[in-house]
Each structure stands twice: as C-alpha cells, then as structure tokens.
Amino acid sequence: MSNNGGKAHDPRDPEMRDWTDSISSVIAADGTVRADDILGRVVDEARRSGAALPFASSTAYLNTIPAWEEPSHPGDRELEHRIAAAIRWNAAALVLKANKESSELGGHIASFQSGATLYETGFNHFWRAPSEGHGGDIVMIQGHSSPGIYARAFLEGRLTEDQLLKFRQEVGGGGLSSYPHPWLMPDFWQFPTVSMGLGPLMAIYQARFLKYLHARGLANTEGRKVWVFCGDGEMDEPESLGAISLAGREKLDNLIFVINCNLQRLDGPVRGNGKIIQELERNFRGAGWNVIKVVWGSQWDELLARDTTGRLRQLMEECVDGEYQDFKSRNGAYIREKFFGRYPETAAMVADWSDDRIWKLTRGGHDPSKVYAAYDAAVRKTDQPSCILAKTIKGYGMGAGSEATMLAHQMKKMDSEALRHFRDRFKIDVPDSALTEVPFIRLPEGSDEERYLHERRRELGGYLPQRRRTSTPIEAPPLASFGTQLKGSDGREISTTMAFVRMLTGLMRDKDFGRRIVPIVPDEARTFGMEGMFRQFGIFSQVGQLYIPQDADQLMFYKEDKSGQMLQEGINEAGAMASWIAAATSYSTSDTPMVPFYIFYSMFGFQRVGDLAWAAGDIRARGFLLGGTSGRTTLNGEGLQHEDGHSHILSATVPTCISYDPTFNYEVAVILQNGLKRMLTDQEDVYFYLTLLNENYEHPPMPDGAEAGIVKGMYLFRAAPEGAQGHRVQLLGSGAILREVIAAAELLEKDWGVASDVWSVTSFTELAREAHDAERWNLLHPLETPRVPYVTQQLIARGDGPVIASTDYMKLYADQVRPFVPSRYAVLGTDGFGRSDYRRALRSFFEVDRHFVTIAALKALADENKIPSIKVAEAIKAYGIDPEKPNPART
C-alpha cells in the first residue's frame, strides 16, 4: 500500500499524467469554470467514498478570471480614464487645500488614489440609483476615500467649489464632512463607515434585510445589490469578519464585498510576512463565499502566457506582501533585480524590456478591464455572496516618497515635484504656473467627457451617493389601543417585560400596522417570555423549516418560515444590532418604514455594542431598543457580568437616543405610543431605549393627567396627604427602585412623621436635556424672561423641602439634574460591580432600598436644621444598618 501511495505522487506515473493532461485539455477547450465543475464532482464522489482528501482553501496567486474568459469592457476606456484623472486630481486638491496653511484639518489622499478604479468602474457600469423600476443599490464607501466621492460629485454638478473649499470645515454650514456621515450630510451619505469594521458588518445585515422585505411582500428588492468597500487592514477588525458565515449560510447573492488590498494599513504592511489576499480568500471561501481575485493587470497576461516552466507563478507565490510593497516604492530597475532577477527563467522573460516597461506592470485593482470582469462575475453570481480581492498600490500615482511607502496613509501635503509627477502621470491640464495652487478642474461644458459622465449615471437611474430623508408617514396607533395596560394589572403581579411583550403582540396583530413590526432577539426569546411569538409569527428563514422541531407537539412550537416576522440572531448582540439598524433605516434605504424592536439583556446592549449605537444615531435610525433585566439589583442570581447599572449613562451619550426607565405598565404604553408617533408619523430621526424589569408586582392604573409628564420625564405619582403636618420631602424614583421609594414614603410617615411627595421619574436623561436647553436659551437671551426647566417647575410647585432620588443605576444618572433641583438634593445609586444575591439583599448592599431612602431624607432634613441629627442615628439603628459597612462602590 505504501508503494502504491508513493506511486500516486510520482509525476512520471502514466496514470497521473493522464489525469493532469485531461484537466489541462478541459481548461484549454472549455475554461476554468468547466474544469472546476468536473473536479468538484470528482472530489464529491471521492469524499463520499471515504477518501482522505488534501485540504486547500486558497487558489493560485493569480486572477480568478483568466484573460481568455474576461468579458469585453463595454465603456469608452479613454474617456473614462480622463474623467478618472480629473477626479483623482480634485480629490487630492481637496485635501491639499484644506491643509495648505497647516495640517490641522487632516484628510487622506492615498486611500482614494488606491481605489479610484474600483469606484469608477462601479459608478460607470454597475451601481444603480433608486428609480421607478429599481429600488437602488446600497453602496457603502470606505470612509477614507470620501475625498474621491466628493470630487466626482463636483464634476457632476452636485457639489460646488465653495463646498469643496470647506472640506472638514462644517461650522456655519455648507462644509463637507470628513467621512461619510448621514447626520451631517443627510441628503448625500447613506452609511457611516469610517469606524472600521462596522461597514462590513452592517452590509451583511442590510443584504439579509432586503431578502426579508422581499420574502414578506413589503418591498420589491429583486435585483438590488449591497456593495461594501473596505481595506485589507480593516479586515483585522473582529466585526469585519464576524458575520461572514451568516452571509454564506443564507446565500446572500445580493451582497458584494470589495476589499482594496493595497497591502498596507496605517503604519505598515498588513501581512508583511505573508499574503493578505490568500489569507482573506481562505476565510471567505471557508465561509461559503464566491471569491474573485484581481491580482495582476493586463500587462502581466503576456508574461503569464509565456511562463511555460511555471517559474513566474512560483515567484509570485514565494514573494510576501512586505516585498511587494517594497517593489512598488522603488523603480523598474529595482523590480528587475529583486523580483525577476531571482531566477534565470524570470530574468530572461524581461531581458529585452526597458525599466520603464517593467515599472508599468500594474496591479489588477488599477486595471479597468480586470475590475469590470470581476464586478460582472459578482453581479451574475447566484446562491452565494461574492468577495472581490483587488490588489492595488497605496497612494497610486502620487510618486516616489508617497506611493507604497510606510507614510502613504498619513500624507496630507505634496511638494511641487510630487504634484508635477502626479499631473504628468494622469495628463492633467494644469500649467506649471498654477501647479502649487492646486486648482480644482472641471470637465469642459459640452465636452465628450462631461456628456459621458452624465450619460452613464442616467443609464443607471441617477446619481450616487444619495439618501432619502423621509418616507410615507404612518399613522401611529392611538394611546387608547393600549387600554388594557393603562388600567393596571387588577391584582395580578407581572413584570414590565411581560407587559411589553403583550403590547408588542397586540401591535403585531393589527391588520395594517402590525406587518411593519420587526421583533429581534439574540437567542433570549424564552428569557423575555417571547417564545409564544415563534408559532404565531414565525422566525424568518429563507429556506423555511427543513426539519420537524423537537417541540412540534406543543402549541407554541419553534417555527421557522420563509415569511417569518421575527429575526432570531443567535448569541450575537453585534449582529442583532446591525440587523436592527437595517430595519431602522428601511424608511430611507427602501422607502419602506419599519419598526424594529430589539430586546436584549441591558448589560449586553450599549456596553457591548456602543459603537453601533453611536453609528445608529449618525445613520438616523428609527426604532426601539429594549434593555431587559435592567438595573444593578434586578437580575439577582446572575452576578457581576450581567447586572447593569450604567446603560442609561451610556445611552445618554448618543444625542438621538431617547431613553426611559419606566416602572409601570402604563408608563411603558405611553412611551411606546409616543415613540411610534415621533418616528413614524412625525418622522423624527430619533430612536428609543427603554429599560424593562423581570420583577413581578402589581401595576396600578395610570393617574389622571400623567401622560405628558411620563413623556417629559417625571410626574407626581403620589402626593403627600392633604393637610399633612410637619416636615415634607420630595422623593424621586425610577424603574426597579420606584417601589422602594414608595415604601420609604410610608416609613417616613409611619416612623418619623415626615410627609412625602413621590415622583416617578421616567427619564432623568430627558429631564436634563430639556433643562440644559433652557439654560442655554437663558445664556443667549439675557434680556428675555428666563425659561424655567420642567424639573424645576414641578418641584417648586410642590413647595420647599429636600429632594432625594434613588435609582438602580449609578449616581451619575440621577445626578444629571442636580443644577436644576431648587433645594437640597441627595442621590442614591448603585455604583460599583454587581454581584449575586436576593434583590432585597442587593438593594440594601448598594444602599438604594427603602431604609436608605428614609435615612437620606432624614439626613437632608437634619442638614437643614429641621430635625436633630440624633433622629438619623436612631433610624440607622432601627433599620439594622451597619455604619461601618464597606462602600459598595469600592467593594
């Protein structure tokens, strides 16, 4: 057996020669696609027979599409070259002018120069704008390439020279944002992509959501593609590759990654000792993607055709990326010596070539024909997402000292010699006398170039990028439709999470409105009591359900469906958030307003996916985030890594995030209805964050007149008894701790004769924002009657007396309103790490329970000399509190 095994690998073996000659004949006659098909079937048969097959996840370091299989480029190559040259020049001028006096504003020249052909091929031949017959392609631009996109829009007449001169100068209006930011340029940019890794992640879920809309009959997304541009260095971000298996598994053939492999990240080579293209090919092929490599330009085709010994291919495989970067930072003579000169066979291939001709051997990503062939193959591919790996040069065309150098990414200035080289290389019509001014150039009116530029975009439906700001307003359900929740729980003890699920289920059953709701869960539906939705509404799956679920005999079995409404994302908060963003921007990307509800452990929300939450604000997302099991003391058995006492601090950092910490069913109902109205009917670019509780208790009916206060952030839940004698305090509480505050009011009255007004504060954040608005207005209008913040108005209306606030969050949460509280203010909160125990023990440990609220109220009265301090000491002793207990914030 061993001898036979050795014989099988002997190149002199006639049987082996027959196999290799046969496949060579197939390639020569029918091409590599046919050869792949035959070999694939042979390998499948061998695998089924139990053969031990060699594993190879990458292909040769060559173009995936051989020269003889390339489609003809359909454009006018000369006109496209001249247009691209003008765009290249203007993109560089944009940054150079902004940094003429200093480098304070920054910007990037090299990135777009590296990817210009990749973008121009898409703009000229592939990317469709929204039109009557097509929903439009989604194109996510690599953030550092924004100057090139502005430069093209300028030639199209969509941006003015004055706007270009205000690159990165946005104060006062009219300037251009540094990177793609929909918040700053809401009619232009669609997606914020410069926080590297988020573009690839969001693109995958955008593509999947287009399939979701189509499958559910909500929008016709057939023929639409999602293109995402990223750099090879960017692929080191975990988010970049984190969801590629989902794209392969779900066969997202509407998704195309274009990875600009210039072999260089910000500081140096991406894989100096290896090959990033080969590495990425392995990753994507293993995840089920169609990978198309664009490594070598057309000038290499002649050499490869003459490579009868295979030595050139061997040399291409042997050289690592650090060497390839070095080669292109030098000159033709250096490449002749260090690359071709490595073997006699390869040296002979270019012996009669000039150094200049060797230097002009381009990489595939700079060759319009090679790029067009790759794009054409990608858009025609079915049943698989496609990844195009295009090899380019960082700072292409910028000359020695910039092109493929370690410093290329940081280049913000070019000296006169570099500018002259750049001008001459791309044949830019700028005289020497004007060179250092770096003037913006236009296409002559009526010229062939101008005509071609506009014709290509008209053929593809219009100009890109563009963004839809509004969609058809949707009438939000009236508050009366939440009638059951407004009436209280009638003696039953339930959690706000269960109340929310009932509200959501009721909304989804609405014949007109319900189909727009997108429930999203990260494998925690059973935790939140949402498993009943599986059977009622189904879990979206493009293939339906190919198995009988284990619980098929149950009424609410696990049901996957081609038209399922729920999105079950697995244990994947980042993916679920990206999915939520796709639904939350559907009003813009697909002119189809949707209402996503993403519910998660609150600890695993803003803390884990904070960058995506920030991007959601920038992208003008509209939807609901629900932080379940919220608060530091409610998820009593789970401990430090699960107990959230700071998500409201983090959510407050996103200007468009409207956050609430409700305690009762009716508060949740009012907030939901208000959010639906603001986002769907009024089309405000905000999103809502609500924290929900897993603690069961009875819920009272909504007090008369409470609705407005719930939305504003606070309302009087229970007034002190009429005619109460003695001292009075104002008690503020929210979420899990409001019920402790209510209990403290009873202790103060019963044990100490102190009357209390009890306030439910649904949002300290919204109170603080409104108060800061009033404060700013007063600052700028000193001669006008000062505005009084809402929180100040409410507390003044109830008279004087100290104010005590207690929440299940860090003290910073309630402390936000301190400047606007008109009397002594004491704040209790859950600073420190969480831990496991019973809720009552945790609330005592963190010093936020009824006893600590009572002590804090008495201490405030003592500090105002209204009661003797001995009363505070008596209370501490009466409630069994150890004055020397460790500080929970530091324990």
Side-chain angles (χ1 to χ4, degrees):
M1 291 293 293
S2 60
N3 290 336
N4 289 340
K7 182 181 178 182
H9 293 283
D10 186 347
R12 294 169 296 177
D13 175 26
E15 187 177 3
M16 176 68 75
R17 276 204 313 273
D18 287 345
W19 278 88
T20 55
D21 289 347
S22 294
I23 203 65
S24 295
S25 297
V26 171
I27 293 173
D30 300 317
T32 56
V33 174
R34 178 60 177 159
D36 287 346
D37 182 48
I38 292 172
L39 290 173
R41 295 185 187 184
V42 171
V43 167
D44 284 345
E45 181 63 30
R47 183 180 291 113
R48 284 193 293 269
S49 301
L53 297 171
F55 176 73
S57 58
S58 62
T59 60
Y61 197 60
L62 298 171
N63 295 343
T64 302
I65 303 170
W68 58 87
E69 290 185 5
E70 287 177 21
S72 298
H73 190 286
D76 187 319
R77 287 281 303 274
E78 183 57 34
L79 285 179
E80 289 185 14
H81 176 75
R82 292 202 291 266
I83 293 168
I87 293 170
R88 285 179 180 277
W89 176 269
N90 286 341
L94 188 76
V95 179
L96 294 173
K97 284 179 175 292
N99 293 277
K100 192 170 185 178
E101 296 180 6
S102 73
S103 297
E104 182 179 350
L105 292 175
H108 301 276
I109 303 174
S111 292
F112 176 73
Q113 301 303 331
S114 171
T117 301
L118 303 177
Y119 289 109
E120 281 302 290
T121 302
F123 278 122
N124 285 323
H125 302 287
F126 291 96
W127 301 338
R128 299 183 65 88
S131 61
E132 187 174 341
H134 194 281
D137 291 327
I138 290 173
V139 184
M140 296 189 181
I141 305 296
Q142 187 183 15
H144 292 119
S145 294
S146 63
I149 309 306
Y150 292 140
R152 168 171 259 270
F154 171 67
L155 291 188
E156 293 169 336
R158 301 173 62 213
L159 295 177
T160 67
E161 183 167 335
D162 183 60
Q163 286 176 293
L164 296 194
L165 291 170
K166 292 182 178 178
F167 175 59
R168 294 192 170 202
Q169 299 166 69
E170 298 169 273
V171 175
L176 301 179
S177 62
S178 52
Y179 303 120
H181 291 299
W183 185 260
L184 300 172
M185 297 180 66
D187 298 309
F188 193 84
W189 293 117
Q190 276 192 307
F191 298 96
T193 52
V194 80
S195 188
M196 286 186 273
L198 297 194
L201 180 68
M202 289 192 293
I204 290 170
Y205 287 91
Q206 284 285 350
R208 202 270 298 268
F209 196 72
L210 292 182
K211 298 281 189 181
Y212 173 92
L213 290 175
H214 194 85
R216 292 192 55 219
L218 293 163
N220 180 8
T221 63
E222 192 172 359
R224 297 180 66 186
K225 301 289 184 181
V226 177
W227 297 72
V228 58
F229 282 77
C230 19
D232 46 359
E234 181 178 359
M235 303 315 289
D236 281 346
E237 289 284 4
E239 296 90 343
S240 295
L241 298 175
I244 62 172
S245 62
L246 178 144
R249 181 172 67 248
E250 303 222 0
K251 301 179 179 180
L252 298 180
D253 51 13
N254 60 342
L255 176 64
I256 300 170
F257 272 35
V258 181
I259 303 180
N260 181 4
C261 298
N262 54 38
L263 314 185
Q264 198 170 332
R265 52 192 178 201
L266 308 190
D267 289 335
V270 179
R271 293 290 183 274
N273 297 312
K275 280 188 171 66
I276 187 61
I277 287 178
Q278 301 299 83
E279 177 182 323
L280 292 174
E281 181 186 25
R282 291 192 291 270
N283 289 337
F284 280 90
R285 288 188 72 197
W289 288 55
N290 170 45
V291 177
I292 305 169
K293 295 195 293 190
V294 187
V295 184
W296 309 107
S298 297
Q299 298 93 331
W300 288 90
D301 291 341
E302 175 192 342
L303 293 175
L304 287 166
R306 290 164 43 202
D307 184 32
T308 56
T309 65
R311 190 68 82 183
L312 177 59
R313 289 171 171 80
Q314 176 187 338
L315 179 56
M316 289 172 166
E317 295 280 356
E318 288 175 349
C319 287
V320 295
D321 284 353
E323 292 177 291
Y324 281 119
Q325 181 191 2
D326 181 47
F327 296 151
K328 292 307 294 184
S329 70
R330 307 289 181 145
N331 53 47
Y334 188 83
I335 295 172
R336 181 193 300 277
E337 177 190 355
K338 299 297 184 181
F339 179 73
F340 288 107
R342 191 168 300 186
Y343 296 109
E345 297 93 332
T346 51
M349 296 177 76
V350 294
D352 59 345
W353 284 31
S354 68
D355 290 344
D356 185 59
R357 186 178 178 187
I358 291 174
W359 178 249
K360 288 180 179 177
L361 285 167
T362 61
R363 293 179 179 176
H366 299 301
D367 188 319
S369 292
K370 302 296 185 184
V371 174
Y372 179 87
Y375 284 13
D376 179 69
V379 298
R380 289 188 290 105
K381 183 64 178 176
T382 58
D383 295 329
Q384 280 184 295
S386 291
C387 174
I388 296 168
L389 302 171
K391 189 175 182 181
T392 67
I393 300 167
K394 189 91 164 186
Y396 179 74
M398 292 173 64
S402 298
E403 195 166 328
T405 66
M406 297 293 189
L407 299 174
H409 186 79
Q410 312 301 334
M411 296 295 294
K412 298 169 181 61
K413 295 186 177 184
M414 295 171 67
D415 60 26
S416 58
E417 184 59 35
L419 282 171
R420 184 173 292 107
H421 172 86
F422 190 81
R423 177 199 64 185
D424 294 345
R425 182 163 185 172
F426 295 110
K427 299 177 182 178
I428 306 296
D429 187 18
V430 175
D432 286 346
S433 59
L435 196 61
T436 56
E437 295 300 316
V438 204
F440 294 121
I441 60 175
R442 301 178 185 271
L443 300 178
E445 188 173 350
S447 66
D448 290 343
E449 292 86 349
E450 186 198 41
R451 172 186 53 76
Y452 189 87
L453 178 78
H454 293 290
E455 280 182 357
R456 295 310 309 139
R457 289 315 310 164
R458 280 196 293 269
E459 183 71 21
L460 292 167
Y463 299 99
L464 290 174
Q466 61 169 278
R467 182 182 174 278
R468 181 185 291 106
R469 297 188 71 166
T470 60
S471 187
T472 305
I474 306 298
E475 193 64 33
L479 185 59
S481 63
F482 296 88
T484 302
Q485 284 73 35
L486 302 179
K487 296 175 182 177
S489 60
D490 195 24
R492 291 172 291 113
E493 294 189 346
I494 64 171
S495 67
T496 54
T497 297
M498 185 55 62
F500 160 73
V501 172
R502 291 176 180 176
M503 295 179 213
L504 183 62
T505 303
L507 288 171
M508 292 175 71
R509 286 174 177 161
D510 185 284
K511 287 190 297 184
D512 298 319
F513 182 80
R515 65 196 184 104
R516 298 188 180 276
I517 293 176
V518 186
I520 302 171
V521 289
D523 207 37
E524 291 284 3
R526 299 183 193 280
T527 300
F528 302 121
M530 298 174 69
E531 66 271 23
M533 290 185 173
F534 293 158
R535 174 65 181 87
Q536 293 180 72
F537 303 105
I539 299 167
F540 174 67
S541 167
Q542 290 196 71
V543 298
Q545 193 158 34
L546 306 179
Y547 62 95
I548 298 174
Q550 174 273 323
D551 58 354
D553 59 338
Q554 303 296 312
L555 178 63
M556 295 300 179
F557 62 85
Y558 194 85
K559 176 187 174 185
E560 298 189 63
D561 193 281
K562 290 182 179 180
S563 59
Q565 193 164 354
M566 292 186 73
L567 293 175
Q568 223 293 6
E569 302 298 358
I571 305 174
N572 182 2
E573 287 86 1
M577 188 66 181
S579 194
W580 178 86
I581 288 173
T585 54
S586 180
Y587 74 93
S588 177
T589 57
S590 298
D591 199 15
T592 306
M594 302 297 289
V595 191
F597 287 85
Y598 168 31
I599 185 168
F600 48 86
Y601 272 52
S602 67
M603 186 69 163
F604 305 145
F606 283 84
Q607 175 172 294
R608 181 165 291 187
V609 296
D611 202 6
L612 283 162
W614 182 259
D618 189 353
I619 206 170
R620 297 173 177 261
R622 302 172 185 172
F624 291 92
L625 298 176
L626 293 308
T629 60
S630 65
R632 190 81 80 197
T633 69
T634 58
L635 196 61
N636 46 320
E638 294 288 342
L640 184 151
Q641 200 64 33
H642 287 67
E643 291 175 341
D644 160 39
H646 48 276
S647 68
H648 276 286
I649 304 297
L650 300 175
S651 69
T653 64
V654 182
T656 61
C657 178
I658 312 301
S659 61
Y660 290 95
D661 184 34
T663 304
F664 297 121
N665 292 356
Y666 63 82
E667 294 175 345
V668 177
V670 168
I671 294 164
L672 287 181
Q673 196 278 334
N674 177 256
L676 291 171
K677 179 180 180 300
R678 290 182 65 176
M679 291 184 284
L680 286 178
T681 307
D682 302 338
Q683 300 201 58
E684 286 189 54
D685 293 331
V686 295
Y687 66 87
F688 276 54
Y689 174 53
L690 280 75
T691 39
L692 300 174
L693 305 173
N694 62 328
E695 189 173 358
N696 295 320
Y697 47 83
E698 185 177 354
H699 296 253
M702 183 169 72
D704 292 339
E707 180 183 346
I710 292 171
V711 171
K712 286 179 177 291
M714 70 181 292
Y715 66 96
L716 185 62
F717 174 76
R718 180 179 299 169
E722 286 291 333
Q725 302 297 312
H727 303 296
R728 179 185 297 231
V729 293
Q730 308 288 313
L731 303 183
L732 280 57
S734 70
I737 305 302
L738 175 59
R739 293 172 60 249
E740 290 295 319
V741 170
I742 295 169
E746 295 170 357
L747 288 179
L748 283 165
E749 174 67 27
K750 177 172 65 73
D751 295 347
W752 311 100
V754 175
S756 307
D757 289 320
V758 177
W759 299 83
S760 175
V761 180
T762 52
S763 180
F764 281 100
T765 300
E766 289 307 297
L767 289 177
R769 286 173 172 172
E770 188 273 345
H772 284 297
D773 284 344
E775 187 178 52
R776 175 182 177 276
W777 191 92
N778 293 340
L779 172 68
L780 298 175
H781 299 82
L783 302 181
E784 304 288 338
T785 302
R787 294 179 178 176
V788 180
Y790 175 78
V791 61
T792 309
Q793 294 176 35
Q794 297 302 301
L795 293 173
I796 287 177
R798 296 303 299 174
D800 60 2
V803 179
I804 292 83
S806 187
T807 78
D808 217 11
Y809 292 88
M810 296 173 64
K811 292 177 181 178
L812 278 172
Y813 179 51
D815 219 46
Q816 293 179 91
V817 299
R818 180 176 295 278
F820 314 107
V821 174
S823 52
R824 184 179 296 275
Y825 188 43
V827 170
L828 308 180
T830 55
D831 294 62
F833 285 118
R835 60 204 65 210
S836 298
D837 212 310
Y838 292 103
R839 292 187 183 107
R840 63 177 180 273
L842 291 172
R843 288 166 187 170
S844 176
F845 171 80
F846 281 107
E847 303 171 2
V848 295
D849 68 354
R850 62 194 67 185
H851 297 134
F852 276 94
V853 173
T854 300
I855 292 169
L858 294 174
K859 179 65 166 61
L861 289 170
D863 289 343
E864 294 184 348
N865 295 316
K866 293 180 177 177
I867 63 172
S869 295
I870 189 63
K871 292 291 185 183
V872 184
E874 290 173 0
I876 291 172
K877 183 178 181 180
Y879 298 136
I881 294 171
D882 177 7
E884 305 306 320
K885 70 187 287 287
N887 184 347
R890 301 179 182 277
T891 304

